[in-house]
Amino acid sequence: MTTKYAGFEEPEPAGGDEPIGVPYRGRRRTAARVLVPVAIAAVAAAGVAVVPALASPGTPTLPQVTAQQLVTKVLANRTTALSGTVQVSTDLGIPSQVLDMASQGAVAGVTGAAGAAGGSGQAKEGAANAASAGPQAKLTTLLAGDHTLRVAADGPDKQRVALVEPLAEYDLIHNGDQAWAWDSASNQAVHLSDGTGGAAAKDAKEQPKTPLDGVPTTPQQAAQQFLAGSASSSDVSVAGTVSVAGRDAYQLSVKPKQSGSTIREVKIAVDSATGTPLAVVATSTSGSTVLDVHFSDVSFAVPSASTFDFTPPKGATVVQPAQQRKWDNGIQPQPEASKAGSKVTGTDWTAVVSFTLPTQSGSTQTGSTQTGSTQTGGGKAASGHHRKQALPDSTTLIKSLGKPVAGGTLISTKVINVLITDDNHVYAGAVTLPVLQAAAGVK
Amino acid sequence: MSRVETVPVTAAGPGAVAGPRPQTVPGFLALFRSELTLTFRRARTLALLGVLAVVPILIGVVVKIETGNMHGGDGGPAFITQVTQNGVFLTFTALATSLPIFLPMTVGVVAGDSVAGEAATGTLRYLLVAPAGRSRLLAAKFTAAMAFCLAATLAVAVSGLLIGSILFPVGDVTLLSGDTIGLGAALLRVVLISGVVALSLAGLAAVGLFISTLTGSGIAAMASTVGLVIIVQVLDSFPQLHAIQPWLLTHYWLSFGDLLRQPMYWHAVWQDLGLQALYVAVFGSAAWARFTTRDITA
């Protein structure tokens, strides 16, 4: 840009960086300066792409081990004290509404008391109802999406798992014979076990652990449960090394020997120093990652004792579940938790869980899927009433999501296939349809 | 066309009377000082701060009146169940409530109007007559906008503390993790959270400043800045846009709640502050590129 006024072509005195006498070329300078933000954005983008790759050296060099040694190391691992942050990412391909209803349905079917466990900590009706802070509903949320857990453990008697939520937190604290669940959103504390009283005392050894059992919340638990259960029917090999949470780890690859499973491979990263599993990644036969549990930071120092202290805060609602057994049954959100009606056929990778859908009163409501969908967002005073009627609806709704196959309705997700036969038997597992049909006796 | 800040320069020797005077620190800061005074002496700024201070009052009074019906956490803003037990939580509730809309709106008004408003009223060219250079003027504008971010956050926080302590009991604070800390430690966390929230608005201030350099209409700049915040938050709510969401300006805004855990969880807070720094760098330099080369015609 040039101006007609000679005086204005002089450089600015305070800008200072232009040599005197050089004509002012606005357009060129604009172009040069526009490059600055562009360059910053480019550098930032490149940095984000490159720095993590540089920061985590993909394959640390470690001495060779055999798969056998590694499995032994994992199972023999007696790391008792650790604390850290666990990232859980689950992508089973299950619609969240179904997940909501399935968990409520399973819980209600077991306890026989409809209205248990408000989906998101909102139910607050009768004392007979399980509190919204009950573990099962919360742990069901782990089955979909990304979550952050903060875990701490010190020996078999002290554990704490905190589910980090936006502006809220859900904690499970186990300390000796005390077990608490704390839900900050609803300001409720559930006393899962106090080690006193008749029924509770009988199970005192077992009971305090229940909130943390069933659903593995640390890679350690997940891997140990998994390896102990299925090592015999799997091809186990060492697949190189990785770096997890800044620690060098061996990668253990576990593949099913049998055909018919929808899981292709489970990779377990095992800390080279302690043998603690640091990450578990499951891949489906379609190639997508369905489960990724890994420590994003971990410390094997003993957490401070106060971590495991929990006293219900002043003003919080303390719920003492009337039936301790409720928790025992309700923990596992998957239908196999219902010990009463479910049975497992097949072994290991091709295990199929079968049970009969609960048929309850209120079937006149069947077909009104509207009720089912409104109750997921529920939370009004009447929601307990609605939940009672929602069970048959959810059955219908779940069925409507499937596609008809020989012998019933198939609901297919990335890993789990569910076959609902025409006479309301449910067969579910991480297996292909023919395996389900064989289990159901179709054809 | 004309570059108004250009003043005729004589070939000034060291001893010449005319020409630029030697730079002094107070002289360098004079522009910053005048921008700060200008911002905080405007009736509009005070009105905005007043509106922000009303938010906690409104929430507090509603909670007080409706205490009988509020139990159980019937949805509603974060921490609302804790407010009745402890007035300190009114601060956190008010911050969580005003952060998505009220705070960015006021920051958008101040930042969006900072350059465009001067251009619209015809005062920009006089401002540029000051021998300070456009870069320094822009820095002063950004400083004033950041000062307003802090003042706005404090207006909400202090008003929340005051109203909370008047309407509700105040004492030991229950953290999200269920642990209880003393009032002194809780007040420290209020200060910390206010600082984090104010810094979370830095990216928006830079974006507002950049938009402000693009147009000569103050209203247009304000509206675009505020509109942008709304659009970004809408985008942030679509699960399908999962991949880009960590890059959205507002994505980590509510991470300040992580400071209410025991121990404090800094991960998301650092991500937030890092993202804000990136936005300040990109849009700050974009504003600089635009403003230092632009023709000031008004």
Side-chain angles (χ1 to χ4, degrees):
Chain A
M1 187 203 79
T2 52
T3 67
K4 281 179 273 188
Y5 308 104
F8 289 132
E9 291 176 11
E10 299 282 351
E12 62 202 58
D17 50 289
E18 308 254 324
I20 290 174
V22 175
Y24 173 64
R25 297 188 199 281
R27 204 172 292 268
R28 185 186 299 172
R29 201 167 70 159
T30 306
R33 294 198 171 179
V34 164
L35 284 180
V36 176
V38 173
I40 292 177
V43 166
V48 167
V50 172
V51 169
L54 294 180
S56 62
T59 51
T61 317
L62 293 170
Q64 290 283 326
V65 289
T66 66
Q68 192 58 47
Q69 287 170 323
L70 203 52
V71 171
T72 316
K73 193 171 187 174
V74 174
L75 295 180
N77 164 44
R78 289 288 172 265
T79 305
T80 51
L82 65 83
S83 60
T85 310
V86 180
Q87 306 288 341
V88 182
S89 167
T90 322
D91 185 11
L92 299 175
I94 306 174
S96 56
Q97 289 91 339
V98 174
L99 213 55
D100 267 4
M101 274 182 282
S103 73
Q104 284 165 12
V107 172
V110 170
T111 58
S120 48
Q122 289 158 338
K124 187 164 193 240
E125 296 116 27
N129 285 348
S132 63
Q136 70 276 59
K138 281 294 173 178
L139 292 180
T140 311
T141 63
L142 288 180
L143 289 179
D146 298 337
H147 299 278
T148 302
L149 297 171
R150 296 216 284 174
V151 297
D154 181 10
D157 290 337
K158 291 180 178 179
Q159 289 111 31
R160 179 175 191 137
V161 177
L163 175 59
V164 175
E165 299 169 314
L167 298 181
E169 187 168 310
Y170 181 78
D171 286 54
L172 289 170
I173 303 117
H174 167 216
N175 190 353
D177 55 2
Q178 300 281 317
W180 287 90
W182 159 252
D183 184 18
S184 82
S186 60
N187 206 12
Q188 280 187 345
V190 182
H191 204 174
L192 299 176
S193 167
D194 56 3
T196 59
K202 223 191 309 175
D203 300 335
K205 278 203 183 94
E206 199 95 328
Q207 208 50 244
K209 279 180 120 180
T210 38
L212 306 182
D213 278 355
V215 173
T217 40
T218 65
Q220 185 181 10
Q221 290 171 345
Q224 284 187 339
Q225 277 180 16
F226 175 73
L227 280 179
S230 64
S232 60
S233 60
S234 316
D235 283 327
V236 185
S237 59
V238 178
T241 55
V242 286
S243 176
V244 179
R247 298 183 67 93
D248 294 345
Y250 292 105
Q251 182 116 294
L252 197 60
S253 161
V254 184
K255 292 177 183 167
K257 271 181 193 161
Q258 305 150 291
S259 65
S261 171
T262 49
I263 295 175
R264 180 167 68 188
E265 184 182 15
V266 176
K267 279 186 174 174
I268 302 168
V270 180
D271 184 36
S272 60
T274 62
T276 311
L278 296 177
V280 176
V281 178
T283 326
S284 74
T285 41
S286 61
S288 58
T289 301
V290 291
L291 172 73
D292 183 348
V293 183
H294 66 267
F295 277 107
S296 58
D297 68 83
V298 65
S299 151
F300 292 103
V302 177
S304 82
S306 63
T307 310
F308 307 104
D309 290 341
F310 183 82
T311 37
K314 200 167 126 277
T317 319
V318 177
V319 182
Q320 304 273 3
Q323 296 168 288
Q324 293 281 334
R325 270 180 50 73
K326 235 182 217 177
W327 306 113
D328 197 18
N329 287 332
I331 300 311
Q332 195 111 350
Q334 291 297 328
E336 53 257 30
S338 51
K339 289 165 191 157
S342 75
K343 68 176 205 266
V344 179
T345 51
T347 53
D348 299 337
W349 294 94
T350 53
V352 174
V353 178
S354 58
F355 61 97
T356 311
L357 280 180
T359 45
Q360 296 206 343
S361 60
S363 56
T364 46
Q365 296 287 323
T366 310
S368 162
T369 52
Q370 207 55 40
T371 318
S373 57
T374 47
Q375 67 98 18
T376 56
K380 292 290 165 207
S383 62
H385 183 58
H386 278 286
R387 283 202 180 92
K388 202 171 278 180
Q389 301 170 339
L391 276 175
D393 300 340
S394 60
T395 309
T396 318
L397 182 58
I398 288 174
K399 265 193 176 180
S400 75
L401 289 168
K403 59 172 195 244
V405 294
T409 310
L410 174 74
I411 299 170
S412 174
T413 68
K414 282 183 182 168
V415 200
I416 305 212
N417 284 323
V418 181
L419 178 69
I420 305 171
T421 59
D422 299 328
D423 52 350
N424 275 357
H425 280 65
V426 177
Y427 297 86
V431 291
T432 53
L433 175 61
V435 178
L436 284 179
Q437 284 171 327
V442 179
K443 278 186 285 187
Chain B
M1 280 227 285
S2 64
R3 301 179 62 244
V4 185
E5 92 274 35
T6 305
V7 293
V9 180
T10 55
V17 180
R21 277 173 295 169
Q23 192 65 261
T24 59
V25 174
F28 184 82
L29 292 179
L31 192 61
F32 290 82
R33 211 174 46 238
S34 88
E35 274 304 323
L36 284 174
T37 353
L38 183 76
T39 306
F40 284 100
R41 280 176 66 183
R42 291 185 95 151
R44 187 186 63 193
T45 311
L46 299 179
L48 287 176
L49 292 177
V51 167
L52 285 172
V54 168
V55 173
I57 300 178
L58 208 63
I59 299 173
V61 169
V62 167
V63 171
K64 184 76 179 173
I65 295 172
E66 289 288 315
T67 297
N69 308 329
M70 296 293 287
H71 59 79
D74 225 330
F79 313 122
I80 200 93
T81 47
Q82 281 98 326
V83 170
T84 47
Q85 272 116 39
N86 198 327
V88 177
F89 269 98
L90 188 58
T91 307
F92 305 130
T93 309
L95 280 176
T97 312
S98 49
L99 195 47
I101 303 168
F102 294 109
L103 277 173
M105 205 168 71
T106 54
V107 171
V109 166
V110 170
D113 196 45
S114 55
V115 177
E118 303 268 11
T121 51
T123 48
L124 187 55
R125 60 174 121 186
Y126 302 110
L127 205 53
L128 292 176
V129 167
R134 296 188 182 191
S135 308
R136 206 198 303 174
L137 177 63
L138 203 64
K141 289 284 187 192
F142 183 69
T143 310
M146 279 314 297
F148 178 80
C149 290
L150 186 64
T153 313
L154 287 179
V156 176
V158 171
S159 159
L161 266 184
L162 281 179
I163 299 303
S165 57
I166 292 171
L167 291 181
F168 305 104
V170 169
D172 290 354
V173 170
T174 304
L175 297 174
L176 290 179
S177 327
D179 303 274
T180 303
I181 58 171
L183 188 58
L187 290 179
L188 272 182
R189 295 210 186 197
V190 171
V191 172
L192 191 65
I193 283 174
S194 302
V196 167
V197 169
L199 286 178
S200 301
L201 295 165
L204 179 65
V207 172
L209 195 61
F210 171 60
I211 295 177
S212 188
T213 59
L214 295 179
T215 171
S217 156
I219 295 290
M222 290 184 228
S224 332
T225 312
V226 175
L228 194 78
V229 179
I230 295 170
I231 291 171
V232 165
Q233 296 197 57
V234 169
L235 291 181
D236 203 16
S237 65
F238 285 115
Q240 287 84 353
L241 298 175
H242 188 72
I244 60 158
Q245 281 171 356
W247 297 99
L248 295 179
L249 182 63
T250 63
H251 186 68
Y252 297 108
W253 269 4
L254 292 181
S255 66
F256 76 82
D258 287 350
L259 301 182
L260 288 174
R261 304 182 200 280
Q262 186 76 349
M264 288 189 237
Y265 184 55
W266 284 93
H267 180 74
V269 176
W270 287 126
Q271 275 182 318
D272 179 31
L273 296 183
L275 188 67
Q276 300 301 330
L278 181 65
Y279 268 86
V280 169
V282 171
F283 283 95
S285 59
W288 170 81
R290 165 74 183 160
F291 188 59
T292 51
T293 57
R294 159 188 173 191
D295 293 340
I296 305 298
T297 53

